Amino acid sequence: MLSRIADVLVPAVGRLSVTTDADTALAPGSIIAANHTSLADPAIVLAALRRLGAEPVVMAAAGLWRVPLLGRVLAGGGHIPVLRGDRRAAAALDAAAEALEKGRLILIYAEGGLPRRKDAAEAAPGPFRSGLARLAERTGAPVVPVGHAGARRVVSGGLGKQLAGLATAPLRRPDLHVHVGTPLRLTGDCQARTTRARTAVTHAWRTAAAHLDDSSPIARTPAR
């Protein structure tokens, strides 16, 4: 349901395009790791993945389950709430591992949150938390790096700016691009796995950003 909704809504707010590496595969039981830059990007990534025939389970902030209607859609689709900064957060990894064992795809945002800056510029992914590396080590699942660009041109900044951006996006029709990279197997200790995953997602993001028009600025510092 969530992927279908995204597939309908995203084309209404921007021009979505999708590319993949030549040897990309979204095999059952894979972890999809994407950069996190805007409240709009989960919908953009889901819409892009649906074009490739994939409808993943999303790991997202537990607070979203309290949003009317959205919470019901998330719960009904088997998506996984993450209680950040809570000892119960480990339960999210348990649920993700179970979904992977059943052949589901898992979409995870390893940065663990949105950038604090207010501008609409693109920026490389910030530091990754260890959850992605621990999930990959526990399950042996391949990691598919995904980079996207343009979401901050839909919504970014404070609440007022975000609402204005969302309201005007259907008129502005910003470019939105998602690039799906080559799956990889993470090896080494937790830090090495995390570093390799972030490098792969950053490469996918750079590929996506290169598809935007020249009016899309690149921030000088990482999105943190």
Side-chain angles (χ1 to χ4, degrees), residues 122-136:
E122 294 295 322
F128 278 17
R129 299 191 180 188
S130 64
L132 169 60
R134 289 186 284 126
L135 181 61

Side-chain angles (χ1 to χ4, degrees), residues 16 44 59 63 128 134 142-143 158 164 166 176 191 203 206 213:
L16 176 63
I44 293 168
M59 299 182 71
F128 278 17
R134 289 186 284 126
V143 174
L166 187 60
L176 310 169
Q191 182 176 351
H203 179 74
R206 292 189 186 282
D213 60 49

Side-chain angles (χ1 to χ4, degrees), residues 62-73:
L64 294 175
W65 271 251
R66 296 193 295 270
V67 178
L69 186 58
L70 176 59
R72 294 180 62 182
V73 172

Side-chain angles (χ1 to χ4, degrees), residues 1-9 46 50 55:
M1 175 67 74
L2 193 62
S3 292
R4 291 197 296 272
I5 293 173
D7 196 30
V8 171
L9 293 180
L46 287 176
R50 193 164 193 265
E55 297 188 5

Side-chain angles (χ1 to χ4, degrees), residues 50-165:
R50 193 164 193 265
R51 292 188 181 184
L52 301 176
E55 297 188 5
V57 171
V58 181
M59 299 182 71
L64 294 175
W65 271 251
R66 296 193 295 270
V67 178
L69 186 58
L70 176 59
R72 294 180 62 182
V73 172
L74 290 168
H79 300 285
I80 301 171
V82 180
L83 292 159
R84 298 191 181 103
D86 189 292
R87 62 183 181 183
R88 293 171 293 173
L93 290 184
D94 294 337
E98 183 178 349
L100 290 169
E101 290 174 3
K102 294 178 179 178
R104 298 296 305 273
L105 298 169
I106 293 291
L107 172 59
I108 185 172
Y109 290 97
E111 291 163 90
L114 291 169
R116 296 178 180 175
R117 57 194 179 83
K118 303 298 184 181
D119 62 275
E122 294 295 322
F128 278 17
R129 299 191 180 188
S130 64
L132 169 60
R134 289 186 284 126
L135 181 61
E137 180 178 21
R138 175 175 171 175
T139 62
V143 174
V144 181
V146 169
H148 66 85
R152 291 186 68 82
R153 299 171 69 184
V154 179
V155 291
S156 60
L159 179 59
K161 184 181 177 183
Q162 291 187 45
L163 292 175

